[in-house]
Amino acid sequence: QVWMAQNLNYRAEGSSCYENKSENCKIFGRLYPWTVAMALPASYATTSAESVISRKHRGVCPEGFHLPTSEDLKELVSYIRKHNRYEKERSGTLLKMAFSWKHSEELPDGTDRFGFGAMASGFRNARGEYREMGRDADFWVAEESNNSSHAPYWNLYYDNDEFLGDYSKKKTYAYSVRCLRDKSSTSSETAAAEKAADEAAKAD
């Protein structure tokens, strides 16, 4: 897997900066309602989009990238657990940066050992209120929940040291987007990047 090292900051209509401050977009990326992240009509906020979700759904991601699925994120967590040599650090700690997160009295600060660079970007709720910057980061996936007005997302929290995906919210919430490069069996660039990441993990 080759992930973008920052949250997406593409100015799609309907996306926003935390508290509508442009400086927050520069640091944390933009926040996207699910339909905006998926580049789908707003009508799919309350109706099922099952028939129009593609296998590698590009959405607002640039060409050659797509929105991840829960399986993609499970693969990421599995990879970092396999290559983690620090007994006290779990998936959430390994993915977070130390910067931007409220300090937890119980858990270590983020170490970002795999270069994912997760920051506490917060979110915008269905009422348009901005919440939890410094404490929380949420990422949409290219899937729907059983309730057609909801979609699943993955969460990092300052007082939790795991990266978890057992959550669902209204599609009108606005969360971060992290794009994943499309896999290609003939791409030497992708293979080289994966090899370099593996060697870096072993050398750390």
Side-chain angles (χ1 to χ4, degrees):
Q1 290 184 333
V2 179
W3 291 85
M4 283 190 169
Q6 296 176 317
N7 292 342
L8 191 66
N9 189 23
Y10 171 67
R11 190 172 182 173
E13 185 176 354
S15 66
S16 65
C17 303
Y18 192 94
E19 293 184 337
N20 297 309
K21 296 177 180 179
S22 59
E23 58 267 31
N24 285 331
C25 275
K26 294 177 182 178
I27 299 171
F28 300 100
R30 298 183 76 85
L31 299 172
Y32 301 84
W34 185 84
T35 53
V36 177
M38 296 287 284
L40 295 174
S43 59
Y44 286 113
T46 54
T47 60
S48 175
E50 182 179 1
S51 63
V52 295
I53 299 176
S54 56
R55 183 170 175 271
K56 289 185 179 178
H57 196 95
R58 178 179 170 183
V60 290
C61 293
E63 184 175 357
F65 288 81
H66 63 277
L67 267 73
T69 62
S70 286
E71 286 303 313
D72 290 325
L73 290 167
K74 288 176 183 177
E75 183 178 339
L76 170 65
V77 170
S78 177
Y79 178 88
I80 64 176
R81 284 176 176 168
K82 178 181 178 182
H83 293 86
N84 176 32
R85 294 166 43 216
Y86 299 85
E87 184 177 344
K88 294 183 179 180
E89 296 179 18
R90 300 185 183 276
S91 61
T93 304
L94 295 163
L95 292 171
K96 295 174 190 170
M97 297 177 70
F99 168 76
S100 81
W101 292 91
K102 175 181 170 64
H103 177 70
S104 169
E105 297 297 329
E106 305 292 332
L107 303 170
D109 291 335
T111 57
D112 193 28
R113 296 193 189 278
F114 293 85
F116 192 79
M119 292 188 286
S121 48
F123 62 88
R124 189 183 75 206
N125 66 23
R127 296 185 296 275
E129 301 164 336
Y130 293 93
R131 293 284 187 265
E132 296 294 309
M133 178 178 277
R135 296 169 175 260
D136 183 89
D138 305 284
F139 303 90
W140 286 126
V141 293
E143 298 166 11
E144 288 186 304
S145 303
N146 291 333
N147 183 334
S148 60
S149 65
H150 288 61
Y153 67 96
W154 281 60
N155 170 267
L156 289 166
Y157 193 64
Y158 87 99
D159 215 16
N160 191 330
D161 59 356
E162 292 283 9
F163 188 28
L164 301 172
D166 300 324
Y167 305 102
S168 176
K169 283 289 187 184
K170 288 183 177 180
K171 296 173 181 176
T172 48
Y173 271 64
Y175 291 147
S176 299
V177 167
R178 189 63 73 97
C179 301
L180 175 61
R181 180 178 287 175
D182 299 342
K183 287 185 178 181
S184 172
S185 58
T186 60
S187 172
S188 58
E189 181 183 359
T190 298
E194 290 174 344
K195 181 179 179 182
D198 191 43
E199 290 176 350
K202 292 177 181 177
D204 194 356

